Amino acid sequence: MTLGRNSKQLNHTLRNLVSSLIIHEHITTTPAKAKLTANYIENLITKSKKHALNNTTKEWKHLLHGKLYNQKDTIPKMDLFVERYSNRNHGFTRMLKLDPRVGDNAPQVALELVDNENKELFFWYIAKVVARLELQGLPLDDLTAKNVSKVTKYKVNGEEKFAELVKLCKKEFFTNGEGLEDSNEIEIDIENDKLDIIPTPLENKPRMKSNTNGFNKQTKNFVVVPRS
Amino acid sequence: MVSALLPSLPAAGLSALLPRLPSIRIGVALPSFLQPTSNENTIEDINNNNELDSGILRAAPKKKTSHMKRRQRLYGPGDKHIKLKDNLNRCPACGHYKRSHFLCMNCVGQIRKYWKNRDAPAPREAEEFTNPLDEQIIYPGKTERESEKKLQSKDWLVKKPKTLPVE
Ligand SMILES: [Zn+2]
């Protein structure tokens, strides 16, 4: 678990990663580093919540100076996390697997803070899926419905934000990029020529192997999806 | 033929090639403490002379590995081949191929591109000149050489291969 470093270098690496995660709320690293970083930051947030309850935040912030870098930016942000994660006891981070890095083929993951406002990749991805389904006039499949509820559950005004993002995704990712200045015009455009906007008209087919990708595995009354 | 293959050695070198025998000396035998110690001399000789001279053979392959054997060793075993990916799914958002349990890199690329444009700092406003001549004098423009233009294209960078749609 030392990532090929001695303890001094490892500490610096971890503190750097955690500090950037706090500042940007979304980073891309290798899974080994991401796991360490996630542990570290979950610990920090849990402790921050505990100290906020006991009114010992001042002393805790003094200690945080030794655990983080860029203290001017990072330490005030811990207050934000305490407020944001008041409904959660754990699970403040999310790891998303990405394709291996070009060049050395190292496995990559995106590590992000759950429910962040600026750069929540999973939120955006699900919004993009829903945008496509809405453009085609199809109902949400089980997995997507589950993901939508997951993503909007603890977010402040989650459903409104999600609906807005779906609108933006329709505009940004499913149009050819012409006449995108007035939002009203775009809506009309989308209504008029649905099929032209989506380059490859997708039906709501099962996702090749299984419809749920392993989530909510049905043990009874399952439908066999043939691999084509 | 043989003489052509052998390196041309000087006479001294040739004598060194021959096995070392104790030289016969005629005369009064010196007492043992005056005689030169033979051990040191031979070790020094081995170190100083080249390997041909030492008469010792080091470990080395006897034959060149044949084309067939080399290819059998390197390319025969199945686990050394590039494996086929059977963990492919269709992306629910864009319909391109993606690995199962991984995010679709096409969609991730699009989203990140949008973020980059969104978070980019605002472009600097152009200076306003009352006299257009001033602008021409202060900023006369730049002529780009062919090499500089080529550098701009960044064609040496290895890029991610594009994803393909599922038909
Ligand atoms: Zn995709």
Side-chain angles (χ1 to χ4, degrees):
Chain A
M1 293 298 280
T2 57
L3 305 174
R5 287 144 224 257
N6 59 33
S7 73
K8 208 173 168 186
Q9 293 165 340
L10 184 68
N11 271 335
H12 284 307
T13 313
L14 261 181
R15 279 171 70 174
N16 267 325
L17 279 166
V18 170
S19 308
S20 351
L21 180 62
I22 289 174
I23 292 169
H24 303 289
E25 313 210 1
H26 174 97
I27 55 173
T28 310
T29 47
T30 56
K33 284 182 205 138
K35 279 173 194 170
L36 290 179
T37 314
N39 284 349
Y40 198 107
I41 198 163
E42 298 246 342
N43 189 2
L44 288 189
I45 293 173
T46 323
K47 282 181 181 166
S48 301
K49 284 176 68 174
K50 195 185 82 184
H51 285 286
L53 273 183
N54 297 339
N55 292 323
T56 48
T57 313
K58 204 182 166 192
E59 291 85 346
W60 170 241
K61 279 193 176 173
H62 189 70
L63 289 178
L64 274 180
H65 272 268
K67 299 179 193 295
L68 299 171
Y69 288 133
N70 293 339
Q71 288 91 351
K72 272 185 193 170
D73 300 332
T74 50
I75 291 179
K77 264 205 156 182
M78 296 306 282
D79 294 336
L80 180 76
F81 299 151
V82 169
E83 197 191 332
R84 191 197 287 166
Y85 300 126
S86 54
N87 291 326
R88 291 174 191 266
N89 291 326
H90 44 74
F92 312 122
T93 54
R94 182 187 287 132
M95 265 165 63
L96 304 162
K97 283 186 199 174
L98 303 177
D99 273 8
R101 190 199 278 152
V102 174
D104 63 352
N105 211 27
Q108 298 280 287
V109 295
L111 180 68
E112 61 188 18
L113 286 170
V114 172
D115 290 344
N116 75 64
E117 300 297 328
N118 206 18
K119 288 183 170 181
E120 197 182 1
L121 187 60
F122 193 58
F123 191 66
W124 278 69
Y125 186 66
I126 300 302
K128 205 183 162 198
V129 175
V130 172
R132 183 216 114 201
L133 289 172
E134 283 186 8
L135 281 178
Q136 289 177 327
L138 295 167
L140 301 188
D141 54 305
D142 295 347
L143 179 59
T144 311
K146 186 197 155 126
N147 282 336
V148 170
S149 74
K150 210 168 151 185
V151 140
T152 54
K153 197 175 178 186
Y154 290 123
K155 216 175 171 105
V156 182
N157 298 331
E159 282 168 20
E160 292 164 24
K161 277 173 191 165
F162 191 76
E164 253 176 53
L165 193 57
V166 168
K167 222 183 214 175
L168 194 141
C169 283
K170 281 179 194 170
K171 188 171 100 185
E172 284 294 327
F173 304 126
F174 293 104
T175 43
N176 297 325
E178 291 164 6
L180 293 178
E181 289 181 2
D182 285 10
S183 59
N184 292 329
E185 283 180 19
I186 296 146
E187 279 180 1
I188 295 161
D189 279 344
I190 288 166
E191 290 299 317
N192 285 342
D193 39 19
K194 270 181 188 174
L195 288 179
D196 292 351
I197 292 157
I198 305 175
T200 49
L202 296 165
E203 296 152 38
N204 207 11
K205 284 189 224 159
R207 296 168 197 191
M208 302 185 75
K209 271 187 189 167
S210 68
N211 198 19
T212 58
N213 274 2
F215 292 106
N216 295 334
K217 263 185 189 162
Q218 273 186 310
T219 49
K220 287 176 192 172
N221 304 329
F222 55 84
V223 186
V224 177
V225 182
R227 284 202 218 172
S228 56
Chain B
M1 276 300 285
V2 174
S3 65
L5 281 173
L6 281 172
S8 60
L9 292 163
L14 206 67
S15 69
L17 246 174
L18 295 169
R20 283 170 184 284
L21 294 170
S23 57
I24 301 156
R25 290 176 196 175
I26 303 160
V28 185
L30 283 168
S32 64
F33 61 88
L34 281 177
Q35 279 180 359
T37 50
S38 57
N39 264 342
E40 288 175 12
N41 270 346
T42 48
I43 290 168
E44 269 179 22
D45 282 350
I46 289 169
N47 289 338
N48 289 340
N49 295 339
N50 55 26
E51 282 157 23
L52 265 179
D53 291 356
S54 66
I56 294 172
L57 293 174
R58 304 268 159 89
K62 216 163 198 176
K63 292 267 183 189
K64 179 185 175 183
T65 315
S66 69
H67 184 71
M68 183 167 107
K69 285 291 171 193
R70 181 162 58 232
R71 291 188 69 81
Q72 276 175 349
R73 188 186 68 237
L74 292 179
Y75 309 118
D79 57 338
K80 288 187 183 179
H81 295 181
I82 295 171
K83 276 127 207 123
L84 292 176
K85 287 195 169 33
D86 57 352
N87 61 339
L88 294 180
N89 275 359
R90 191 198 317 99
C91 169
C94 66
H96 286 215
Y97 276 109
K98 76 169 193 64
R99 290 157 209 244
S100 48
H101 308 293
F102 284 63
L103 283 192
C104 164
M105 289 313 280
N106 186 33
C107 295
V108 169
Q110 285 177 356
I111 291 168
R112 284 195 171 157
K113 198 176 166 191
Y114 179 81
W115 286 353
K116 200 178 172 185
N117 292 335
R118 182 192 66 182
D119 300 338
R124 270 195 296 172
E125 284 178 24
E127 287 180 66
E128 283 182 15
F129 291 92
T130 44
N131 188 358
L133 266 177
D134 286 350
E135 195 180 355
Q136 274 184 22
I137 288 162
I138 296 173
Y139 303 115
K142 186 172 146 191
T143 49
E144 279 194 336
R145 290 174 197 162
E146 279 299 312
S147 59
E148 286 171 339
K149 272 181 201 167
K150 208 182 173 190
L151 274 178
Q152 291 283 325
S153 71
K154 293 192 180 174
D155 52 350
W156 70 88
L157 287 176
V158 184
K159 282 174 191 166
K160 237 172 208 169
K162 281 188 177 174
T163 52
L164 291 172
V166 181
E167 71 285 343

